[in-house]
Coordinates of all heavy atoms in Angstrom, one line a residue:
M1 N -7.5 -26.5 -36.3 CA -7.1 -25.6 -35.2 C -5.6 -25.8 -35.0 O -5.1 -26.8 -35.0 CB -7.8 -26.0 -33.9 CG -7.9 -24.7 -33.0 SD -8.1 -25.2 -31.3 CE -9.7 -25.9 -31.3
E2 N -5.0 -24.5 -34.7 CA -3.5 -24.5 -34.6 C -3.2 -25.2 -33.2 O -3.8 -25.0 -32.3 CB -3.1 -23.1 -34.6 CG -1.5 -22.9 -34.7 CD -1.1 -21.5 -34.5 OE1 -1.9 -20.5 -35.0 OE2 -0.2 -21.3 -33.8
K3 N -2.1 -26.0 -33.2 CA -1.7 -26.7 -31.9 C -1.1 -25.8 -31.0 O -0.2 -25.0 -31.3 CB -0.8 -27.9 -32.3 CG -0.7 -28.9 -31.3 CD 0.1 -30.1 -31.7 CE 0.2 -31.1 -30.6 NZ 0.8 -30.8 -29.4
L4 N -1.6 -25.8 -29.7 CA -1.0 -24.9 -28.6 C 0.2 -25.6 -28.2 O 0.4 -26.7 -28.1 CB -2.0 -24.7 -27.6 CG -3.2 -23.7 -27.9 CD1 -4.2 -23.9 -26.7 CD2 -2.7 -22.3 -28.0
D5 N 1.2 -24.7 -27.7 CA 2.4 -25.1 -27.1 C 2.1 -25.1 -25.6 O 1.9 -24.0 -25.0 CB 3.5 -24.1 -27.6 CG 4.8 -24.5 -26.9 OD1 4.8 -25.0 -25.8 OD2 5.8 -24.2 -27.5
L6 N 2.0 -26.2 -25.0 CA 1.6 -26.2 -23.6 C 2.5 -25.5 -22.7 O 2.2 -24.7 -21.8 CB 1.5 -27.7 -23.0 CG 1.2 -28.0 -21.6 CD1 -0.2 -27.3 -21.3 CD2 1.1 -29.4 -21.2
S7 N 3.9 -25.8 -22.9 CA 4.8 -25.0 -21.9 C 4.8 -23.5 -22.1 O 4.8 -22.8 -21.1 CB 6.2 -25.6 -22.0 OG 6.7 -25.3 -23.3
K8 N 4.6 -23.0 -23.3 CA 4.5 -21.6 -23.6 C 3.2 -21.0 -23.0 O 3.1 -20.0 -22.3 CB 4.4 -21.2 -25.1 CG 5.8 -21.1 -25.7 CD 5.6 -20.0 -26.8 CE 7.1 -19.6 -27.3 NZ 7.2 -20.0 -28.7
T9 N 2.1 -21.8 -23.1 CA 0.8 -21.4 -22.6 C 0.9 -21.3 -21.0 O 0.4 -20.3 -20.4 CB -0.3 -22.4 -23.0 OG1 -0.2 -22.5 -24.4 CG2 -1.6 -21.8 -22.6
R10 N 1.6 -22.3 -20.4 CA 1.8 -22.3 -19.0 C 2.7 -21.1 -18.5 O 2.5 -20.6 -17.4 CB 2.4 -23.7 -18.4 CG 1.3 -24.7 -18.5 CD 1.8 -26.0 -17.9 NE 0.7 -26.9 -17.9 CZ 1.0 -28.4 -17.7 NH1 2.1 -28.8 -17.7 NH2 -0.1 -29.1 -17.7
E11 N 3.6 -20.8 -19.4 CA 4.5 -19.6 -19.0 C 3.6 -18.4 -19.0 O 3.9 -17.5 -18.1 CB 5.5 -19.4 -20.1 CG 6.8 -20.2 -19.8 CD 7.8 -20.2 -20.9 OE1 7.9 -19.1 -21.6 OE2 8.5 -21.1 -21.1
E12 N 2.7 -18.2 -19.8 CA 1.7 -17.2 -19.8 C 0.9 -17.1 -18.5 O 0.8 -16.1 -17.8 CB 0.7 -17.2 -21.0 CG 1.2 -16.6 -22.2 CD 0.2 -16.6 -23.3 OE1 -0.8 -16.0 -23.2 OE2 0.5 -17.3 -24.3
I13 N 0.5 -18.3 -18.1 CA -0.3 -18.4 -16.8 C 0.7 -17.9 -15.7 O 0.3 -17.3 -14.8 CB -0.8 -19.8 -16.7 CG1 -2.1 -20.0 -17.6 CG2 -1.3 -20.0 -15.1 CD1 -2.8 -21.3 -17.5
D14 N 1.9 -18.4 -15.7 CA 2.8 -18.1 -14.6 C 3.0 -16.6 -14.5 O 3.1 -16.1 -13.4 CB 4.2 -18.8 -14.9 CG 4.2 -20.3 -14.6 OD1 3.1 -20.8 -14.0 OD2 5.1 -21.0 -15.0
K15 N 3.1 -15.9 -15.6 CA 3.3 -14.5 -15.5 C 2.1 -13.7 -15.0 O 2.2 -12.8 -14.3 CB 3.5 -14.0 -17.1 CG 4.9 -13.9 -17.5 CD 5.1 -13.2 -18.7 CE 6.1 -13.8 -19.6 NZ 5.9 -13.6 -21.1
I16 N 0.9 -14.3 -15.5 CA -0.3 -13.7 -14.9 C -0.4 -13.9 -13.4 O -0.8 -13.1 -12.6 CB -1.6 -14.2 -15.7 CG1 -1.5 -13.7 -17.2 CG2 -2.9 -13.8 -15.0 CD1 -2.5 -14.5 -18.1
D17 N -0.1 -15.1 -13.0 CA -0.2 -15.5 -11.6 C 0.7 -14.6 -10.7 O 0.3 -14.2 -9.6 CB 0.2 -17.0 -11.3 CG -0.9 -17.9 -11.7 OD1 -2.0 -17.5 -11.9 OD2 -0.7 -19.1 -11.9
K18 N 1.9 -14.2 -11.3 CA 2.7 -13.3 -10.6 C 2.1 -12.0 -10.4 O 2.2 -11.4 -9.3 CB 4.1 -13.2 -11.3 CG 5.2 -12.5 -10.7 CD 6.5 -12.6 -11.5 CE 7.5 -11.7 -10.8 NZ 8.7 -11.5 -11.6
E19 N 1.4 -11.4 -11.5 CA 0.8 -10.2 -11.3 C -0.4 -10.2 -10.4 O -0.7 -9.4 -9.5 CB 0.3 -9.8 -12.7 CG 1.3 -9.3 -13.6 CD 0.7 -8.9 -15.0 OE1 -0.2 -8.1 -15.1 OE2 1.4 -9.2 -16.1
I20 N -1.2 -11.4 -10.5 CA -2.3 -11.4 -9.6 C -1.9 -11.6 -8.2 O -2.4 -10.9 -7.3 CB -3.1 -12.8 -10.0 CG1 -3.8 -12.6 -11.3 CG2 -4.2 -13.1 -8.9 CD1 -4.6 -13.9 -11.8
T21 N -0.8 -12.3 -7.8 CA -0.4 -12.4 -6.5 C 0.1 -11.1 -5.9 O -0.2 -10.7 -4.8 CB 0.8 -13.5 -6.4 OG1 0.3 -14.7 -6.9 CG2 1.3 -13.6 -5.0
S22 N 0.8 -10.3 -6.7 CA 1.3 -9.0 -6.3 C 0.0 -8.1 -5.9 O 0.1 -7.4 -5.0 CB 2.1 -8.4 -7.4 OG 2.4 -7.0 -7.2
L23 N -1.0 -8.1 -6.9 CA -2.2 -7.4 -6.6 C -3.0 -7.9 -5.4 O -3.5 -7.0 -4.7 CB -3.1 -7.4 -7.9 CG -2.5 -6.6 -9.0 CD1 -3.3 -6.8 -10.4 CD2 -2.4 -5.1 -8.9
L24 N -3.0 -9.2 -5.3 CA -3.7 -9.7 -4.1 C -3.0 -9.3 -2.8 O -3.7 -9.1 -1.8 CB -4.0 -11.2 -4.2 CG -4.9 -11.8 -5.2 CD1 -4.8 -13.3 -5.3 CD2 -6.3 -11.3 -4.8
E25 N -1.7 -9.3 -2.8 CA -0.9 -8.9 -1.7 C -1.3 -7.4 -1.3 O -1.5 -7.1 -0.1 CB 0.6 -9.0 -2.0 CG 1.4 -8.9 -0.7 CD 2.9 -9.1 -1.0 OE1 3.3 -9.4 -2.2 OE2 3.7 -9.0 0.0
K26 N -1.3 -6.6 -2.3 CA -1.8 -5.2 -2.1 C -3.2 -5.1 -1.5 O -3.5 -4.4 -0.6 CB -1.7 -4.4 -3.4 CG -0.4 -3.9 -3.8 CD -0.5 -2.9 -5.0 CE 0.9 -2.8 -5.7 NZ 0.7 -2.2 -7.1
R27 N -4.0 -6.0 -2.2 CA -5.4 -5.9 -1.7 C -5.6 -6.4 -0.3 O -6.4 -5.7 0.6 CB -6.3 -6.8 -2.6 CG -7.8 -6.7 -2.5 CD -8.6 -7.7 -3.3 NE -9.9 -7.2 -3.5 CZ -10.8 -7.3 -2.6 NH1 -10.5 -7.8 -1.4 NH2 -12.1 -6.9 -2.8
L28 N -4.9 -7.3 0.1 CA -4.9 -7.9 1.5 C -4.3 -6.9 2.5 O -4.9 -6.7 3.6 CB -4.2 -9.1 1.6 CG -4.9 -10.4 1.0 CD1 -3.8 -11.6 0.9 CD2 -6.0 -10.9 1.9
T29 N -3.4 -6.2 2.1 CA -2.7 -5.1 2.9 C -3.7 -4.0 3.2 O -3.9 -3.5 4.2 CB -1.4 -4.6 2.3 OG1 -0.6 -5.7 2.0 CG2 -0.7 -3.5 3.2
I30 N -4.4 -3.6 2.1 CA -5.5 -2.5 2.2 C -6.6 -3.1 3.1 O -7.2 -2.4 3.9 CB -5.9 -2.0 0.8 CG1 -4.6 -1.3 0.2 CG2 -7.0 -1.0 0.9 CD1 -4.9 -1.0 -1.4
A31 N -7.0 -4.3 3.0 CA -8.0 -4.9 3.8 C -7.7 -4.8 5.2 O -8.6 -4.6 6.1 CB -8.4 -6.4 3.3
L32 N -6.4 -4.9 5.6 CA -5.9 -4.7 7.0 C -6.3 -3.3 7.4 O -6.6 -3.2 8.6 CB -4.5 -5.1 7.2 CG -4.2 -6.6 7.5 CD1 -2.7 -6.8 7.9 CD2 -5.1 -7.1 8.5
D33 N -6.0 -2.4 6.6 CA -6.2 -1.0 6.9 C -7.8 -0.8 7.1 O -8.2 -0.1 8.1 CB -5.9 -0.1 5.8 CG -4.5 0.1 5.7 OD1 -3.7 -0.2 6.7 OD2 -3.8 0.5 4.6
V34 N -8.6 -1.5 6.4 CA -10.1 -1.4 6.5 C -10.4 -1.9 7.9 O -11.3 -1.3 8.7 CB -10.9 -2.1 5.4 CG1 -12.3 -2.1 5.7 CG2 -10.5 -1.5 4.0
A35 N -9.7 -3.0 8.3 CA -10.0 -3.6 9.7 C -9.7 -2.6 10.8 O -10.5 -2.6 11.7 CB -9.2 -5.0 9.8
K36 N -8.7 -1.9 10.6 CA -8.3 -0.9 11.6 C -9.5 0.2 11.7 O -9.8 0.6 12.8 CB -7.1 -0.1 11.3 CG -5.8 -1.0 11.4 CD -4.6 -0.5 10.8 CE -3.5 -1.6 10.7 NZ -2.5 -1.2 9.7
Y37 N -10.0 0.7 10.6 CA -11.2 1.5 10.7 C -12.4 0.8 11.4 O -13.1 1.5 12.2 CB -11.7 1.9 9.3 CG -10.9 3.0 8.6 CD1 -10.0 2.6 7.7 CD2 -11.1 4.3 8.9 CE1 -9.2 3.6 7.0 CE2 -10.3 5.2 8.3 CZ -9.3 4.9 7.3 OH -8.7 5.9 6.7
K38 N -12.6 -0.4 11.1 CA -13.8 -1.1 11.6 C -13.6 -1.3 13.1 O -14.6 -1.2 13.8 CB -13.9 -2.5 11.0 CG -14.4 -2.4 9.5 CD -14.5 -3.8 8.9 CE -15.2 -3.5 7.6 NZ -15.5 -4.8 6.8
I39 N -12.4 -1.4 13.6 CA -12.2 -1.5 15.1 C -12.6 -0.1 15.7 O -13.3 -0.1 16.6 CB -10.8 -1.9 15.5 CG1 -10.4 -3.3 14.9 CG2 -10.5 -1.9 16.9 CD1 -8.9 -3.5 14.8
Q40 N -12.0 0.9 15.1 CA -12.2 2.3 15.6 C -13.7 2.6 15.7 O -14.2 3.1 16.6 CB -11.6 3.3 14.6 CG -10.2 3.7 15.0 CD -9.7 4.6 13.8 OE1 -10.4 5.2 13.1 NE2 -8.4 4.7 13.7
D41 N -14.5 2.2 14.6 CA -15.9 2.6 14.4 C -16.8 1.4 15.0 O -18.0 1.5 14.7 CB -16.2 3.1 13.0 CG -15.5 4.3 12.7 OD1 -14.7 4.8 13.4 OD2 -15.6 4.7 11.5
N42 N -16.2 0.5 15.5 CA -17.0 -0.7 16.1 C -17.9 -1.3 15.0 O -19.0 -1.5 15.3 CB -17.8 -0.2 17.2 CG -18.0 -1.3 18.3 OD1 -17.4 -2.3 18.2 ND2 -19.0 -1.1 19.2
M43 N -17.4 -1.5 13.8 CA -18.2 -2.0 12.7 C -17.9 -3.6 12.7 O -16.9 -4.1 13.0 CB -17.8 -1.4 11.4 CG -18.1 0.0 11.3 SD -17.2 0.8 10.0 CE -18.0 0.1 8.5
D44 N -18.9 -4.2 12.1 CA -18.7 -5.7 11.8 C -17.8 -5.9 10.6 O -17.7 -5.1 9.7 CB -20.1 -6.3 11.2 CG -21.0 -6.5 12.4 OD1 -20.5 -6.6 13.6 OD2 -22.2 -6.5 12.2
V45 N -17.0 -7.1 10.6 CA -16.1 -7.3 9.5 C -16.9 -7.6 8.3 O -16.6 -7.1 7.3 CB -15.3 -8.7 9.9 CG1 -14.6 -9.2 8.7 CG2 -14.2 -8.3 10.9
L46 N -18.0 -8.3 8.4 CA -18.7 -8.6 7.2 C -19.6 -7.4 6.8 O -20.4 -6.8 7.6 CB -19.7 -9.7 7.5 CG -20.8 -10.0 6.4 CD1 -20.1 -10.4 5.1 CD2 -21.9 -11.0 6.9
D47 N -19.5 -7.0 5.5 CA -20.4 -6.0 4.9 C -21.0 -6.5 3.6 O -20.3 -6.4 2.5 CB -19.6 -4.6 4.7 CG -20.5 -3.5 4.2 OD1 -21.5 -3.8 3.6 OD2 -20.2 -2.4 4.4
S48 N -22.1 -7.2 3.8 CA -22.7 -8.0 2.5 C -23.0 -7.0 1.4 O -22.8 -7.4 0.3 CB -24.0 -8.7 2.9 OG -23.7 -9.5 4.0
D49 N -23.5 -5.8 1.7 CA -23.9 -4.9 0.5 C -22.6 -4.5 -0.2 O -22.6 -4.5 -1.4 CB -24.5 -3.5 1.1 CG -25.9 -3.7 1.7 OD1 -26.3 -4.8 1.4 OD2 -26.4 -3.0 2.4
R50 N -21.5 -4.2 0.5 CA -20.3 -4.0 -0.1 C -19.7 -5.1 -1.0 O -19.3 -4.9 -2.1 CB -19.1 -3.5 1.0 CG -17.8 -3.3 0.4 CD -17.6 -2.1 -0.6 NE -16.3 -2.0 -1.0 CZ -15.9 -1.5 -2.1 NH1 -16.8 -0.8 -2.9 NH2 -14.7 -1.5 -2.5
E51 N -19.9 -6.3 -0.5 CA -19.4 -7.4 -1.1 C -20.2 -7.6 -2.5 O -19.7 -7.9 -3.5 CB -19.5 -8.8 -0.3 CG -18.5 -8.7 0.8 CD -18.3 -10.1 1.5 OE1 -18.8 -11.1 0.9 OE2 -17.6 -10.0 2.6
R52 N -21.5 -7.4 -2.5 CA -22.4 -7.5 -3.6 C -21.9 -6.5 -4.7 O -21.7 -6.7 -5.9 CB -23.8 -7.2 -3.3 CG -25.0 -7.8 -4.0 CD -25.1 -8.7 -5.0 NE -24.5 -10.1 -4.8 CZ -24.1 -10.9 -5.7 NH1 -24.1 -10.5 -7.0 NH2 -23.6 -12.0 -5.5
Q53 N -21.7 -5.2 -4.1 CA -21.1 -4.2 -5.0 C -19.9 -4.5 -5.7 O -19.7 -4.2 -6.9 CB -20.9 -2.9 -4.3 CG -22.2 -2.1 -3.9 CD -21.8 -1.0 -2.9 OE1 -20.6 -0.6 -2.7 NE2 -22.9 -0.4 -2.2
V54 N -18.9 -5.1 -4.9 CA -17.6 -5.4 -5.5 C -17.8 -6.5 -6.6 O -17.3 -6.3 -7.7 CB -16.7 -6.1 -4.3 CG1 -15.4 -6.6 -4.9 CG2 -16.3 -4.9 -3.3
I55 N -18.6 -7.5 -6.3 CA -18.9 -8.5 -7.3 C -19.4 -7.9 -8.6 O -19.1 -8.1 -9.7 CB -19.7 -9.7 -6.9 CG1 -18.8 -10.5 -5.7 CG2 -20.2 -10.6 -7.8 CD1 -19.6 -11.5 -4.9
E56 N -20.5 -7.0 -8.4 CA -21.2 -6.5 -9.6 C -20.2 -5.7 -10.4 O -20.3 -5.6 -11.6 CB -22.4 -5.7 -9.1 CG -23.6 -6.5 -8.6 CD -24.0 -7.6 -9.4 OE1 -24.0 -7.5 -10.6 OE2 -24.3 -8.8 -8.9
K57 N -19.4 -4.8 -9.7 CA -18.5 -4.0 -10.4 C -17.5 -4.8 -11.2 O -17.2 -4.5 -12.3 CB -17.6 -3.1 -9.4 CG -18.1 -1.7 -9.2 CD -17.0 -0.9 -8.5 CE -17.6 -0.4 -7.2 NZ -16.8 0.4 -6.4
C58 N -17.0 -5.8 -10.6 CA -16.0 -6.7 -11.3 C -16.5 -7.4 -12.4 O -16.0 -7.5 -13.5 CB -15.3 -7.6 -10.3 SG -14.2 -6.8 -9.1
I59 N -17.8 -7.8 -12.3 CA -18.4 -8.4 -13.5 C -18.6 -7.4 -14.6 O -18.5 -7.7 -15.7 CB -19.8 -9.1 -13.0 CG1 -19.5 -10.3 -12.2 CG2 -20.8 -9.4 -14.3 CD1 -20.8 -11.0 -11.6
G60 N -18.8 -6.3 -14.1 CA -19.1 -5.1 -15.1 C -17.7 -4.8 -15.9 O -17.8 -4.3 -17.0
Y61 N -16.6 -5.1 -15.3 CA -15.2 -4.8 -16.0 C -15.0 -5.9 -17.1 O -14.1 -5.7 -17.9 CB -14.1 -4.9 -15.0 CG -14.1 -4.0 -13.9 CD1 -13.7 -4.2 -12.6 CD2 -14.7 -2.5 -14.1 CE1 -13.7 -3.3 -11.6 CE2 -14.7 -1.7 -13.0 CZ -14.1 -2.0 -11.8 OH -14.2 -1.2 -10.8
L62 N -15.7 -6.9 -17.0 CA -15.5 -8.1 -18.0 C -15.7 -7.6 -19.5 O -16.7 -6.9 -19.7 CB -16.4 -9.2 -17.8 CG -15.9 -10.1 -16.6 CD1 -17.0 -11.2 -16.2 CD2 -14.6 -10.9 -16.9
K63 N -14.9 -8.0 -20.4 CA -15.2 -7.8 -21.8 C -16.1 -8.9 -22.3 O -16.9 -8.8 -23.3 CB -13.9 -7.9 -22.6 CG -13.0 -6.7 -22.3 CD -11.8 -6.6 -23.2 CE -10.8 -5.6 -22.9 NZ -9.9 -5.9 -21.7
N64 N -15.9 -10.1 -21.6 CA -16.7 -11.3 -22.1 C -17.6 -11.9 -20.9 O -17.1 -12.3 -20.0 CB -15.8 -12.5 -22.5 CG -16.6 -13.4 -23.3 OD1 -17.7 -13.8 -23.1 ND2 -15.8 -14.1 -24.2
E65 N -18.9 -11.7 -21.1 CA -19.9 -12.1 -20.0 C -19.8 -13.5 -19.6 O -20.3 -13.9 -18.5 CB -21.3 -11.8 -20.5 CG -21.9 -10.4 -20.1 CD -23.3 -10.2 -20.7 OE1 -24.0 -11.2 -20.5 OE2 -23.7 -9.1 -21.0
K66 N -19.4 -14.3 -20.5 CA -19.3 -15.8 -20.1 C -18.5 -16.1 -18.9 O -18.6 -17.1 -18.3 CB -18.9 -16.7 -21.4 CG -17.4 -16.6 -21.7 CD -17.0 -17.6 -22.8 CE -15.5 -17.5 -23.1 NZ -15.2 -18.1 -24.2
Y67 N -17.7 -15.2 -18.5 CA -16.8 -15.4 -17.3 C -17.5 -14.9 -16.1 O -16.8 -14.9 -14.9 CB -15.4 -14.7 -17.4 CG -14.7 -15.3 -18.7 CD1 -14.3 -14.4 -19.7 CD2 -14.4 -16.6 -18.8 CE1 -13.5 -14.9 -20.8 CE2 -13.7 -17.1 -19.9 CZ -13.3 -16.2 -20.8 OH -12.6 -16.7 -22.0
A68 N -18.6 -14.4 -16.1 CA -19.3 -13.6 -14.9 C -19.4 -14.6 -13.7 O -19.1 -14.2 -12.6 CB -20.7 -13.2 -15.3
E69 N -19.8 -15.9 -14.0 CA -20.0 -16.8 -12.9 C -18.7 -17.1 -12.2 O -18.5 -17.2 -11.0 CB -20.6 -18.1 -13.4 CG -21.4 -18.8 -12.4 CD -22.1 -20.1 -12.9 OE1 -22.6 -20.0 -14.0 OE2 -21.9 -21.1 -12.3
S70 N -17.6 -17.2 -13.1 CA -16.2 -17.5 -12.5 C -15.7 -16.4 -11.7 O -15.2 -16.6 -10.6 CB -15.2 -17.8 -13.6 OG -15.7 -19.0 -14.4
I71 N -15.9 -15.2 -12.2 CA -15.6 -14.0 -11.5 C -16.3 -13.9 -10.2 O -15.7 -13.7 -9.0 CB -15.7 -12.7 -12.3 CG1 -14.7 -12.7 -13.5 CG2 -15.7 -11.4 -11.5 CD1 -13.2 -12.5 -13.0
E72 N -17.6 -14.2 -10.2 CA -18.3 -14.2 -8.8 C -17.7 -15.1 -7.9 O -17.4 -14.8 -6.7 CB -19.8 -14.4 -9.2 CG -20.5 -14.6 -7.9 CD -22.0 -14.4 -8.0 OE1 -22.5 -14.5 -9.1 OE2 -22.7 -14.3 -7.0
K73 N -17.5 -16.4 -8.4 CA -16.9 -17.4 -7.5 C -15.5 -16.9 -6.9 O -15.1 -17.2 -5.7 CB -16.6 -18.8 -8.2 CG -18.0 -19.5 -8.4 CD -17.8 -20.8 -9.1 CE -19.1 -21.5 -9.3 NZ -18.9 -22.5 -10.4
I74 N -14.7 -16.5 -7.8 CA -13.4 -16.0 -7.4 C -13.4 -14.9 -6.4 O -12.7 -14.9 -5.3 CB -12.5 -15.6 -8.6 CG1 -12.2 -16.8 -9.5 CG2 -11.3 -14.8 -8.2 CD1 -11.7 -16.5 -10.8
Y75 N -14.3 -13.9 -6.6 CA -14.4 -12.8 -5.7 C -15.0 -13.2 -4.3 O -14.6 -12.7 -3.3 CB -15.1 -11.7 -6.3 CG -14.0 -10.7 -6.9 CD1 -13.7 -10.9 -8.1 CD2 -13.3 -9.7 -6.1 CE1 -12.5 -10.2 -8.6 CE2 -12.3 -9.0 -6.5 CZ -11.9 -9.3 -7.9 OH -10.8 -8.5 -8.3
I76 N -15.9 -14.3 -4.3 CA -16.4 -14.7 -3.0 C -15.2 -15.3 -2.3 O -15.1 -15.0 -1.1 CB -17.5 -15.8 -3.3 CG1 -18.8 -15.1 -3.8 CG2 -17.8 -16.6 -2.0 CD1 -19.9 -16.0 -4.3
Q77 N -14.4 -16.1 -2.9 CA -13.2 -16.6 -2.2 C -12.2 -15.5 -1.6 O -11.8 -15.6 -0.6 CB -12.5 -17.5 -3.1 CG -13.1 -18.7 -3.6 CD -13.4 -19.7 -2.3 OE1 -12.5 -19.9 -1.5 NE2 -14.6 -20.3 -2.2
I78 N -12.0 -14.5 -2.5 CA -11.1 -13.5 -2.2 C -11.6 -12.7 -1.0 O -10.9 -12.5 0.0 CB -10.9 -12.5 -3.4 CG1 -10.1 -13.1 -4.5 CG2 -10.3 -11.2 -2.9 CD1 -9.9 -12.3 -5.8
M79 N -12.9 -12.4 -0.9 CA -13.4 -11.6 0.1 C -13.6 -12.5 1.5 O -13.4 -12.1 2.5 CB -14.7 -11.0 -0.3 CG -14.4 -9.8 -1.2 SD -15.8 -8.7 -1.7 CE -16.8 -9.8 -2.6
D80 N -13.7 -13.9 1.2 CA -13.8 -14.7 2.4 C -12.4 -14.7 3.1 O -12.2 -14.6 4.3 CB -14.1 -16.2 2.0 CG -15.6 -16.4 1.9 OD1 -16.3 -15.5 2.3 OD2 -16.0 -17.5 1.5
A81 N -11.3 -14.8 2.2 CA -10.0 -14.9 2.8 C -9.6 -13.4 3.4 O -9.0 -13.4 4.4 CB -8.9 -15.0 1.6
S82 N -10.2 -12.4 2.8 CA -10.0 -11.0 3.4 C -10.7 -11.0 4.7 O -10.0 -10.4 5.7 CB -10.7 -10.1 2.4 OG -10.6 -8.8 2.8
K83 N -11.9 -11.4 4.9 CA -12.6 -11.5 6.2 C -11.8 -12.3 7.2 O -11.7 -11.9 8.4 CB -14.0 -11.9 6.0 CG -15.0 -10.9 5.4 CD -16.3 -11.5 5.3 CE -16.3 -12.6 4.2 NZ -17.6 -12.9 3.7
E84 N -11.4 -13.4 6.8 CA -10.7 -14.3 7.7 C -9.4 -13.6 8.2 O -9.1 -13.6 9.4 CB -10.1 -15.5 7.0 CG -11.1 -16.6 6.7 CD -11.7 -17.2 8.1 OE1 -10.9 -17.6 8.9 OE2 -13.0 -17.3 8.2
M85 N -8.7 -12.9 7.4 CA -7.5 -12.1 7.8 C -7.9 -11.1 8.7 O -7.2 -10.8 9.7 CB -6.9 -11.6 6.5 CG -5.4 -11.3 6.7 SD -4.8 -10.2 5.4 CE -6.0 -8.9 5.5
Q86 N -9.0 -10.4 8.3 CA -9.4 -9.2 9.3 C -9.8 -9.7 10.6 O -9.4 -9.1 11.6 CB -10.6 -8.5 8.5 CG -10.2 -7.6 7.4 CD -11.5 -6.9 6.9 OE1 -12.6 -7.2 7.2 NE2 -11.2 -6.0 6.0
K87 N -10.5 -10.9 10.7 CA -10.9 -11.4 12.0 C -9.6 -11.8 12.9 O -9.6 -11.6 14.0 CB -11.8 -12.6 11.8 CG -13.2 -12.2 11.4 CD -14.1 -13.5 11.1 CE -15.4 -13.2 10.4 NZ -16.0 -14.3 9.8
E88 N -8.7 -12.5 12.2 CA -7.5 -12.9 12.7 C -6.7 -11.7 13.4 O -6.3 -11.7 14.6 CB -6.6 -13.7 11.8 CG -5.6 -14.5 12.3 CD -6.0 -15.6 13.2 OE1 -7.1 -16.1 13.1 OE2 -5.3 -16.0 14.1
Y89 N -6.7 -10.6 12.6 CA -6.0 -9.4 13.1 C -6.7 -8.8 14.3 O -6.1 -8.5 15.3 CB -6.0 -8.3 11.8 CG -5.4 -7.0 12.2 CD1 -4.1 -6.9 12.3 CD2 -6.2 -6.0 12.5 CE1 -3.5 -5.6 12.7 CE2 -5.8 -4.7 12.9 CZ -4.4 -4.6 12.9 OH -3.9 -3.3 13.3
I90 N -8.0 -8.7 14.2 CA -8.8 -8.1 15.2 C -8.6 -9.0 16.6 O -8.5 -8.4 17.7 CB -10.3 -8.0 14.8 CG1 -10.4 -6.9 13.8 CG2 -11.1 -7.6 16.1 CD1 -11.7 -6.6 13.0
K91 N -8.7 -10.3 16.3 CA -8.5 -11.2 17.6 C -7.3 -10.9 18.3 O -7.1 -11.2 19.5 CB -8.6 -12.7 17.0 CG -9.0 -13.7 18.0 CD -9.3 -15.0 17.3 CE -7.8 -15.8 17.3 NZ -8.0 -17.0 16.5
N92 N -6.2 -10.7 17.6 CA -4.8 -10.6 18.0 C -4.4 -9.3 18.5 O -3.1 -9.0 18.7 CB -3.8 -11.2 17.0 CG -4.0 -12.7 16.9 OD1 -4.0 -13.4 17.9 ND2 -4.2 -13.1 15.8
I93 N -5.3 -8.3 18.6 CA -4.9 -7.0 19.1 C -5.2 -6.8 20.5 O -6.0 -7.4 21.1 CB -5.4 -5.8 18.1 CG1 -6.9 -5.8 18.1 CG2 -4.7 -5.7 16.8 CD1 -7.5 -4.5 17.6
Ligands
PRE101 O1 -15.0 -3.0 2.4 C1 -14.9 -3.5 3.5 O2 -15.6 -3.3 4.4 C2 -13.9 -4.6 3.6 O3 -13.7 -5.0 4.8 C3 -13.3 -5.1 2.5 C4 -14.0 -6.4 2.0 C5 -13.2 -6.9 0.7 O4 -12.3 -7.7 0.9 O5 -13.4 -6.3 -0.3 C6 -13.9 -7.5 3.1 C7 -14.9 -7.8 3.8 C8 -16.4 -7.1 3.7 O6 -17.4 -8.1 3.9 C9 -16.5 -6.3 2.4 C10 -15.4 -6.2 1.6

């Protein structure tokens, strides 16, 4: 097997992390907009059906099914953070 260059490989991870962070920042900003709708319409922060749909959709985007479990775990964390932020926002208005 060809020897991997660790620092080059980490540079690739760093670039991907930059993109992921920028997209997560956008996602969190939009989740705040969703919180505003939820206040208006007196809805719960948690929407379990929607969370299941998000996870299933994202698993469907995968080219390689072996990452399905990891994607599910990652999205559970992302949506937990999203809910925490929405609750904090609602608490402080
Ligand atoms: O779609 C919503 O209702 C949201 O508040 C967004 C979101 C998400 O982060 O994707 C967060 C909390 C809900 O439980 C479901 C999904």
Side-chain angles (χ1 to χ4, degrees):
M1 203 204 291
E2 196 187 319
K3 197 169 181 300
L4 283 173
D5 179 328
L6 179 60
S7 62
K8 270 215 175 117
T9 310
R10 283 183 174 162
E11 269 173 35
E12 276 183 59
I13 286 184
D14 288 345
K15 274 191 214 155
I16 291 167
D17 287 342
K18 192 175 174 188
E19 288 180 46
I20 290 174
T21 301
S22 166
L23 291 172
L24 285 174
E25 189 175 3
K26 281 189 199 166
R27 194 185 197 284
L28 286 165
T29 305
I30 295 168
L32 271 189
D33 288 339
V34 177
K36 291 171 196 163
Y37 281 102
K38 288 186 170 176
I39 297 162
Q40 269 175 22
D41 294 359
N42 210 17
M43 291 163 73
D44 286 339
V45 163
L46 171 67
D47 185 335
S48 305
D49 289 345
R50 171 65 184 160
E51 291 198 11
R52 204 13 59 205
Q53 284 168 14
V54 170
I55 291 169
E56 292 307 323
K57 260 194 240 180
C58 291
I59 288 174
Y61 298 144
L62 285 171
K63 293 189 184 79
N64 193 328
E65 265 184 36
K66 75 177 175 189
Y67 300 124
E69 209 180 311
S70 300
I71 286 295
E72 175 161 12
K73 284 184 186 157
I74 289 165
Y75 268 88
I76 287 171
Q77 293 295 318
I78 288 175
M79 290 189 284
D80 279 352
S82 174
K83 280 178 297 202
E84 282 297 309
M85 198 199 54
Q86 289 184 344
K87 284 180 195 162
E88 199 57 31
Y89 175 79
I90 291 169
K91 201 175 84 184
N92 290 309
I93 51 162

